[in-house]
Structure formats: C-alpha cells, structure tokens
C-alpha cells in the first residue's frame, strides 16, 4: 500500500515540521530555513503575535475549544448488509474492504470549516458504511456495476481535502454508502518524454509525481495549498487551481485525457495533441465531482523543470492601483506565473505577523519610503533564466508605471517558505474559539471591484454583532487576460452556541452577494454540497437539466455521489 501522509480525523495535523520537509523536498528552502517560525510560542498553541493581533482585530477572547477525543466521536453501526460486504470481498479481496471504526472515521467528510466543526463536536454522521480500495480501472468498473445492482452509493475519495462538502456522502434514499479510496491507484503508468505526457493513477499525490518526474528534468507544476494531501484525480474532479496557475495553467489545462469508469461503461476522453471530433467530452468529466463515475487514469501535460525561479514583493498605495496594474500586465500578456495581490486588510495582518512576510524589516522599508502598509503584491517567474529575466524586466516597468515600489526578493522567499503553512495554523485557530474559513470567486476585470466590495460587505454584515467584528482578508490569487480570482479568508469570534448556523448565514449572504455582483460561484473549490443550491443561477435551469440527463445515462441508479453538485 502507498505510504500515505497521516491526515488526522479533526484537521490538518499538528506538525509544522511537515511543512519544512515538503518545502525542502520541493527544493524551495533548505530544511533549516526558518519554517519553524510557525512553531507555537504561546501556551494555547498560537504564535503570540497572531494571538495579540487577532484579539485586537476581532474583539475575541481566546478560550480553549478542543475537539472531542477521537474515541468519543459518535459513529452509527455500518449499514452494509453482510451479503453485500461478501460481494465486495469477492470482487476486491478481504484486505480491500474496510469497515472498522478508524477507516470509516478517516473517510468522514472533507476539510471545510463545517466538516471540521461537526467532527470536532463528535458528529461523524457523514462517515461511509465501508471503505473500498480498488486497484485498477477494471475493478472500479466492476465495482460500480455491482453497486448499481445492489443500490449502494459510491463516493470517490482522493485526498479528502474537499472544502465544499464534496464528500458528504448524503443520499435522499438513505442507501448504504461506500467511500472508494483510490490510494492503491497511485502509480506512474507511462511517461512519454517527447510528447511531454505522463499517465498516472488518480490516487497519486503531487509530491510523489514531482519526485517521479524529477530525474527526467520534468515537472507538473500544480501546487495548490493542499498539495501534500490532495490527489491528481481529486484535482481533475474539482477543477483545481495551484499557486502558479497564472503561468502553468489550471489543472483543467494540464489534463490531456482521462479514463472515466461509470456504472454504464468506461469512457476514454481527450485526444492529445488536439481534436475537432465534435464537442470535447473531456470537459464533462472535469469538475464532475464523482457524480458521473470514478476517474481511474489521467494523462497529464508536463513541462521542463524551471531552471530559474524568482519571487519578489512589491507594494501599491491602494487596492485599486494594484488591480489596475495587474489588468495592464494581463492586457500585454505579461502576468507573472505567480500573482498574489493582497488587499489592505490582508497586507496589514501579514505585516504584523511574526513569520509573516518578513514583517518588521518590511514595515521599516515602507516607512522609509513614506508609505503606509498599502497593498502587498507577491509575484514569481519560473523557467529558463533568460526568459525569466526578460519577463521580469518587462513586468517591472509596468508595475513601476502603476506606482508600485519594489520590496525585494526577501518577501518572495518568505512567501515560498510559508506557502503550505496556513492549514496547520487553521487547526490551532479552531482550538481557540475562532471561526476560520475561506471562500473564492472570479470575475472580469470590470466586475472585480464590485464583487470585492459586495462580498466583503455581506460577510461583515452577517458576522458583526454582540461585540464581534470579523476580519475579512482578500487577495487576487490568479490572473487571466479577462479577469482574476479573489480568495477570501474570514476570521471571527465563534458563536459557541450556534457555530454552524453562524457560518451558514455568512456563507449564504456572501454567495448571494458575489453572484449578484457578477462573480462566479466558485473559481477552484468546486460545488460540492455547499454551493449546489446556487448552481442553477450559474449555469441556468437548462444547464442543470443537461447535466442530469448525462448523469442518468451514465449512472441510471443515481449511485455516484448523489448528494453533491446537482441541486435537488
Ligand atoms: C487547506 C486547504 C487548502 C486548499 N488549497 C487549495 C488550492 O490552493 N487550490 C485548489 O484548487 N483547492 C484547494 N483546496 C481544496 C482541495 O484540496 C481541492 O478541491 C482538491 O482538488 C481536492 O482533491 P482531493 O484529492 O483531496 O479530493 P477529495 O477531497 O477526496 O474529493 C473531492 C471531490 O472529488 C471527487 N473525487 C475525488 N477523486 C475522484 C476521482 N478519482 N474520480 C472522481 N471523483 C473524484 C470526490 O468524490 C469529491 O466530490 C484546499 C483544501 C484545503 C483543505
């Protein structure tokens, strides 16, 4: 069995060490390069500076809100009938059918704030009745046919990092649910170096693929913040975007083809390098979130590993000036590979966190240049040294013309060091009475400022009161010729009596507001359970009907992840 990093039942796990190990493996930092700035320095596990800052910003009184011990989490007995279990054993082998408590709890839901709140409170009602570990397309196809015949719901399970309730495992007909964990399908199956194509199993994780590609001097270059845990199949099923996606492309762009096993048969989709044989059915599988079947193989575009990379910081006086400069870069095809423009709130917090973006020295630089905190921009270029130099030089002129001041590569190095760290901090915030969640959208350049204002206003309106005031931090995370995405991090004092209701109210207000202002329902997290009430607003009732029709052809019994994506 593949050697998996440990995911705790409650959250991301306590270890800051892993961030250091992964960043070092990636070649971004040396193991002793200070990543352990993350290590807690206050008794409550939070960095002291963060604790002080948040108390001031939020009107929050730190208090211990630990998760219930794992042994106290409530888990209903498995509903899988013995004869059905026996059929699975006959199909997959005894060691591939798990229905013990640890396996079921380990596959309960994903990693959204609501998922974590439920499990921390001892509720594992979203746990599957069993976990199955198939090994290959044929086994998955046979399994789907069997589940269709027996009326068993299938939830494909990659890394379990869904943040939109994609693994909720709900079924209106209350049928037994199995999680189909793809960890045994985590191999490199073929590498076609001249065509720059790699064929992989869906359960493979990014770090393992990068290790396999390194000897050939190749990389996939898809680096979402969940890179340590999420799988390649999960990226395709949710249309993920990574930190360098402005340059490398979203995961959609990296998929040249895939195999989709459905209860009605196996589809081979996508034909590199390009084809005009009718509509591109590959697009149906990308973002299908397990509702059409299981992605059992992916053919991915890879590229030469960058021989040079350069990350640096800039400062704008205002958010509007920063957006205008990014728009200008986009128009001239000069957007860097990494583009992250923080709004004033995110910049202020970054500049005041120990271990943030080089904090004190940076504030000194800004003071010396008679500027306030302003808005931080982190940009990065990756590729051949001459190309990196040329693109950087051209983009720097546009940034300077837009009024930006260069802060230097220390900011960039600090961002690289901390790029996978936030999830670890999130668990500590949850332990101390805080609401912490993220949401994201995208809009055209012309609609973006309105979407930004509307969603922040909605979140503030919903989360302010009883002495509480939320902190809403936003950054542009990916740029396109036509617009950009916004990524929002929300922190607030948790309502200990009604924590789930508190977030549901805020989320509803934010989603209504961003859609009304012209934003998309989701830029890269997907739909899951959380966004499905709004899907018809995004794609129209006819669009929803079309997806339902495709689904009923491929999955007539409706066994494939029925609780997600499509509204009731
Ligand atoms: C801390 C944190 C940071 C994150 N950062 C990012 C980020 O930077 N960018 C980003 O895009 N996302 C991010 N995410 C969200 C998440 O990592 C992505 O949605 C990711 O693509 C999910 O991959 P996974 O393997 O964990 O899938 P899972 O969570 O296991 O599954 C997600 C959905 O896809 C389905 N699915 C999974 N595998 C398959 C398959 N083989 N066939 C069919 N369906 C399948 C599941 O049924 C489910 O509906 C983050 C999440 C967390 C918790």
């Amino acid at each position: 069995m593949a050697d998996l990093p440990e995911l705790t039942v409650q959250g991301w796990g306590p270890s800051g060490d892993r961030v250091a190990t992964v960043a070092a493996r990636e070649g971004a930092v040396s193991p002793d390069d200070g990543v352990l700035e993350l290590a807690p320095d206050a008794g409550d596990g939070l960095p002291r500076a963060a604790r002080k800052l948040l108390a001031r910003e939020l009107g929050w009184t730190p208090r211990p809100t630990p998760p219930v011990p794992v042994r106290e989490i409530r888990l209903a007995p498995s509903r899988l009938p013995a004869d059905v279990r026996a059929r699975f054993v006959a199909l997959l082998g005894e060691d591939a059918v798990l229905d013990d408590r640890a396996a079921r709890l380990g596959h309960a839901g994903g990693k959204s704030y609501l998922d974590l709140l439920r499990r921390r409170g001892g509720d594992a009602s979203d746990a599957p009745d069993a976990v199955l570990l198939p090994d290959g397309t044929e086994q998955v196809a046979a399994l789907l046919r069997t589940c269709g015949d027996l009326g068993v719901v299938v939830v494909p399970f990659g890394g379990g990092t869904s943040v939109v309730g994609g693994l909720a495992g709900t079924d209106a007909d209350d049928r037994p649910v199995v999680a189909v964990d793809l960890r045994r399908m985590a191999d490199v199956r073929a590498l076609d170096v001249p065509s720059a194509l790699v064929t992989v199993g869906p359960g493979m994780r990014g770090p393992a693929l990068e290790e396999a590609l390194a000897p050939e001097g190749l990389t996939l270059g898809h680096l979402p913040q969940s890179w340590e845990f999420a799988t390649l199949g999960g990226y395709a099923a949710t249309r993920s975007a990574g930190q360098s996606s402005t340059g490398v492309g979203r995961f959609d762009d990296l998929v040249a083809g895939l195999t989709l096993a459905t209860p009605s048969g196996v589809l081979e989709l996508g034909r590199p390098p390009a084809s005009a044989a009718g509509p591109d059915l590959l697009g149906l599988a990308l973002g299908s979130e397990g509702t059409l079947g299981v992605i059992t193989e992916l053919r991915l575009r890879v590229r030469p590993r960058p021989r040079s990379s350069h990350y640096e910081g800039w400062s704008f006086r205002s958010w509007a000036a920063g957006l205008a400069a990014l728009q200008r870069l986009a128009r001239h095809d000069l957007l860097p590979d990494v583009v992250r423009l923080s709004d004033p709130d995110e910049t202020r917090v970054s500049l005041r966190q120990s271990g943030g973006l080089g904090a004190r020295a940076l504030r000194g630089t800004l003071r010396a240049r008679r500027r306030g905190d302003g808005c931080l921009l982190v940009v990065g270029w990756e590729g051949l040294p001459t190309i990196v130099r040329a693109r950087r030089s051209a983009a720097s002129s546009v940034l300077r013309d837009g009024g930006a001041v260069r802060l230097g590569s220390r900011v960039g190095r600090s961002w690289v060091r901390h790029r996978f760290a936030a999830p670890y901090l999130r668990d500590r915030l949850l332990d101390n009475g805080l609401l912490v969640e993220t949401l994201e959208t995208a809009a055209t350049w012309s609609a973006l400022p309105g979407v930004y204002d509307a969603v922040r206003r909605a979140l503030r309106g919903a989360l302010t009161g009883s002495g509480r005031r939320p902190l809403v931090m936003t950054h542009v995370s990916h740029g396109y010729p036509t617009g950009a995405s916004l990524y929002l991090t929300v922190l607030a004092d948790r309502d200990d009596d009604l924590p789930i209701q508190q977030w549901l109210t805020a989320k509803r207000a934010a989603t209504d507001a961003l859609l009304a202002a012209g934003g998309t329902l989701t830029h890269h997290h997907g739909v899951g359970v959380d966004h499905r009430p709004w899907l018809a607003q995004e794609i129209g009732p006819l669009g929803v009907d079309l997806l339902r029709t495709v689904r009923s052809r491929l999955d007539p019994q409706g066994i494939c992840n029925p609780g997600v994506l499509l509204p009731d």
Side-chain angles (χ1 to χ4, degrees):
M1 192 173 300
D3 175 25
L4 294 181
E6 171 213 5
L7 251 188
T8 65
V9 170
Q10 274 81 20
W12 216 242
S15 164
D17 301 4
R18 184 170 293 137
V19 182
T21 315
V22 169
R25 195 190 309 155
E26 196 201 351
V29 292
S30 72
D32 57 356
D33 204 8
V35 175
L36 296 180
E37 283 169 39
L38 255 191
D41 59 6
D44 54 17
L46 282 175
R48 205 180 308 278
R51 187 179 195 277
K52 259 174 73 180
L53 178 76
L54 291 176
R56 200 171 53 235
E57 293 268 346
L58 305 174
W60 155 71
T61 311
R63 56 193 180 278
T65 49
V68 304
V70 173
R71 64 179 178 283
E72 288 174 24
I73 296 179
R74 299 178 297 282
L75 182 68
S78 172
R79 294 168 299 175
L80 205 64
D83 57 331
V84 174
R85 188 183 190 286
R87 288 280 294 274
F88 291 146
V89 169
L91 206 60
L92 307 175
E94 182 70 48
D95 67 340
V97 180
L98 313 174
D99 48 9
D100 58 283
R101 181 176 164 84
R104 291 178 62 209
L105 280 183
H107 292 78
K111 292 282 173 276
S112 71
Y113 174 63
L114 294 181
D115 285 335
L116 297 185
L117 268 188
R118 281 192 210 100
R119 253 164 294 151
R120 292 170 69 90
D123 172 3
S125 49
D126 49 2
D129 295 294
V131 179
L132 307 182
L133 306 175
D135 186 3
T137 301
E138 275 176 28
Q139 275 200 352
V140 173
L143 183 60
L144 289 172
R145 277 196 306 277
T146 305
C147 287
D149 292 345
L150 301 175
V152 175
V153 164
V154 170
V155 178
F157 191 99
T161 65
S162 167
V163 280
V164 290
L167 300 159
T170 49
D171 177 44
D173 299 329
D174 211 21
R175 293 170 289 187
V177 176
V178 292
V180 172
D181 185 321
L182 297 153
R183 70 177 68 179
R184 287 189 173 174
M185 298 164 66
D187 50 335
V188 171
R189 295 174 186 174
L191 179 58
D192 177 348
V193 175
S195 313
L197 284 172
V198 65
T199 304
V200 294
M204 187 165 217
R205 289 170 160 75
L209 177 58
E210 293 298 345
E211 253 168 48
L213 292 174
E216 301 294 337
L218 294 169
T219 180
L220 179 70
H222 185 72
L223 296 174
Q225 204 173 43
S226 49
W227 185 66
E228 291 172 82
F229 298 105
T231 60
L232 301 165
Y235 295 147
T238 59
R239 305 181 72 188
S240 159
Q243 293 167 348
S244 308
S245 287
T246 299
V248 171
R250 300 157 56 84
F251 200 74
D252 301 11
D253 304 322
L254 304 178
V255 181
L258 56 76
T259 305
L260 180 70
T262 79
S264 298
V266 175
L267 284 166
E268 297 291 342
L269 303 172
R271 183 164 288 266
S275 166
D280 187 359
L281 294 179
L282 176 58
L284 274 177
L286 298 173
S288 57
E289 300 186 18
T291 60
L292 301 180
V294 180
I295 296 165
T296 57
E297 187 166 285
L298 297 123
R299 291 167 286 289
L300 302 174
R301 300 192 170 95
V302 293
R303 62 189 60 226
R305 277 176 96 73
R307 296 236 305 269
S308 159
S309 54
H310 182 87
Y311 308 92
E312 64 185 25
W314 290 75
S315 168
F316 285 96
R317 279 200 197 280
S318 69
W319 175 244
L323 287 183
L326 293 191
Q327 188 189 338
R328 220 165 302 129
L329 286 173
R331 187 176 309 146
H332 296 291
D333 201 15
L334 285 174
L335 279 171
D337 300 314
V338 173
V339 179
R340 300 170 77 87
L341 173 69
S342 296
D343 77 344
D345 285 322
E346 188 167 283
T347 302
R348 188 181 67 254
V349 171
S350 298
L351 290 176
R352 277 156 188 76
Q353 262 190 86
S354 74
L357 293 174
R360 204 166 300 148
L362 253 187
R363 290 211 304 276
T365 309
L366 288 168
R367 251 197 318 272
R369 295 181 185 221
R370 291 167 201 264
R371 294 170 82 101
D373 292 346
C375 289
L376 267 181
L377 171 69
V378 173
V379 279
W381 296 268
E382 295 158 350
L384 288 172
T386 44
I387 308 272
V388 165
R389 266 197 305 276
R391 290 176 65 211
R392 188 177 149 221
S393 157
S396 299
S397 319
V398 174
L399 292 174
R400 252 184 231 107
D401 288 351
V405 167
R406 187 169 178 273
L407 298 173
S409 48
R410 190 169 164 190
V411 177
R413 282 199 303 276
S414 179
W415 174 77
V416 169
R417 233 178 13 240
H418 294 279
R419 65 197 296 185
F420 302 113
Y424 296 90
L425 186 59
R426 181 173 79 153
D427 290 342
R428 293 186 213 146
L429 297 170
L430 290 174
D431 288 341
N432 286 281
L434 281 164
L435 176 165
V436 47
E437 182 55 310
T438 61
L439 49 96
E440 37 79 57
T441 182
T444 56
W445 290 114
S446 47
L448 203 66
V451 171
Y452 170 77
D453 289 341
V455 68
R456 282 166 47 85
R457 205 177 313 120
L459 286 166
R460 286 218 178 108
L463 292 169
T464 302
S466 311
R468 297 188 177 97
R469 41 183 193 280
L471 174 62
V472 182
M473 301 178 288
T474 311
H475 63 258
V476 165
S477 58
H478 304 88
Y480 301 88
T482 47
S485 62
L486 293 176
Y487 187 88
L488 295 98
T489 304
V490 187
L491 285 151
D493 190 17
R494 187 185 312 164
D495 179 340
D496 289 337
D497 297 328
L498 292 170
I500 291 185
Q501 199 52 42
Q502 180 190 25
W503 178 245
L504 284 178
T505 305
K507 175 77 177 178
R508 196 175 308 122
T511 309
D512 286 343
L514 67 86
L515 283 173
T520 175
L521 183 54
T522 167
H523 168 259
H524 61 266
H525 282 166
V527 178
V529 167
D530 297 3
H531 291 145
R532 71 182 187 144
W534 289 274
L535 186 67
Q537 270 190 65
E538 175 103 6
I539 65 171
L542 187 56
V544 172
D545 271 359
L546 189 61
L547 288 182
R548 281 211 182 98
T549 305
V550 171
R551 189 190 161 160
S552 63
R553 171 65 185 87
L554 296 178
D555 175 21
Q557 278 83 28
I559 55 154
C560 294
N561 217 358
V564 310
L565 187 62
L566 293 172
D568 289 329

